[in-house]
Structures are given as structure tokens and as C-alpha cells.
Amino acid sequence: MIRDANPNDAKSIVPLILLAMGPLATKFANSDDLQVQTDLFSQFVAAKDNQYSYQNILVEEENGNIAGMIMAYDGIKLQELRKPFLDHIKQKNGFAGEPEDETQTGEYYIDCLAVLPQWQGHSLGSKLIKAMCYKIKEEGHDTVGLLVSRPEAKRLYERLGFKVITEVTLLGVQHQHMQLRLS
């Protein structure tokens, strides 16, 4: 069952965010310590009005537990949604970077998508993307974008109709920027 996330889901969502982000989570937290990363993202998933907020997340439940998640927001709001997180990590975690813009006006941006390892291969990622695209289209948007750096993830997005439009570097990691036009 796919549903909107709520603040109480933070504990189950954060491991999925860390899985999706990989080394970027370490950079943002300015720490290899998993607990530091978990605490950081838990705070922001449970809060409103930031890019990692539960307000931007759909979850997939299997047997009463969250098995996957997708996070997306309107690209025009990137700076507004990023500011609370960026201010916090600079002040509290000593983050010194300046992340490049990963999205833009005119695009609804899929920031994170992850499925727990034991549920991978069950089409949950595809279901989450389709559900988010449906929600995005219902809100009146017609373009969905994302960044991808892993070939297996790129193949999934290509199967769903996403096309590479450019190459982007985000905090030193090369990504392909892909988009899907919703018809």
C-alpha cells in the first residue's frame, strides 16, 4: 500500500534516505558515524517545510512496515526547502560545502527513492515512481526530473520513460539529469 508519509514514519524512512544518498549523507552530516547521520535526517524528516520533510514523501507499506519511499518536490522551491537543512548542517555539523542546484523551475524533482534490500526486485521502486508521477500530474505539473549515478537505477528510470537531458556534478559526484514528460 502506498500512502503519504507522516512525522511518525521518520524512524523507518531515514534508513531508506541513507541508502539512497550513499556517500552524500556522510558529506552532509560531515561524519562517517551512522548515528550522527540518522539523527540529522530524523530531525528533518519529522519536521515541516524542508526538502527532507515527510510532507514530500510517499511510502510503500508491506506487512505493516515501510519497505520503500520516494521523496519529491517542486523544483521552484529548492532554495526555500533546502535553506533550513543547509543552515543547520553548516552551523551544527560543520558542513562547508555549497551544493549545486540539482533541479530547476519547471520540474518536479525526485530527490530520493529507495527500497529496503529484502523488498528489491518486487517492483516497489516502479510502483513508487508511478504513484509519485500520478500525484505530480494531479497537482498540475508536467515534467519530472531526477539525478542518477548508478547504472541499475538508470535502467529502471529508462524503462519508465525517463530520458537523459544533461550531466550534472553534485558535491563532486557525477550524475545524469533525467526527465520524464507527463502526458
Side-chain angles (χ1 to χ4, degrees), residues 39-64:
D39 292 346
L40 170 65
F41 284 97
S42 293
Q43 175 181 346
F44 283 91
V45 170
K48 291 183 175 184
D49 302 324
N50 72 84
Q51 73 187 103
Y52 302 110
S53 172
Y54 68 90
Q55 297 167 304
N56 304 321
I57 298 173
L58 294 178
V59 295
E60 167 71 36
E61 279 188 343
E62 294 292 333
N63 305 324

Side-chain angles (χ1 to χ4, degrees), residues 25-31 33 35-41 43-44 84-96:
T26 301
K27 287 182 182 185
F28 286 141
N30 199 24
S31 175
D33 187 325
Q35 191 60 54
V36 171
Q37 295 171 27
T38 299
D39 292 346
L40 170 65
F41 284 97
Q43 175 181 346
F44 283 91
F85 182 76
L86 200 53
D87 287 351
H88 178 88
I89 61 176
K90 285 181 176 184
Q91 293 169 5
K92 304 285 186 195
N93 296 77
F95 178 76

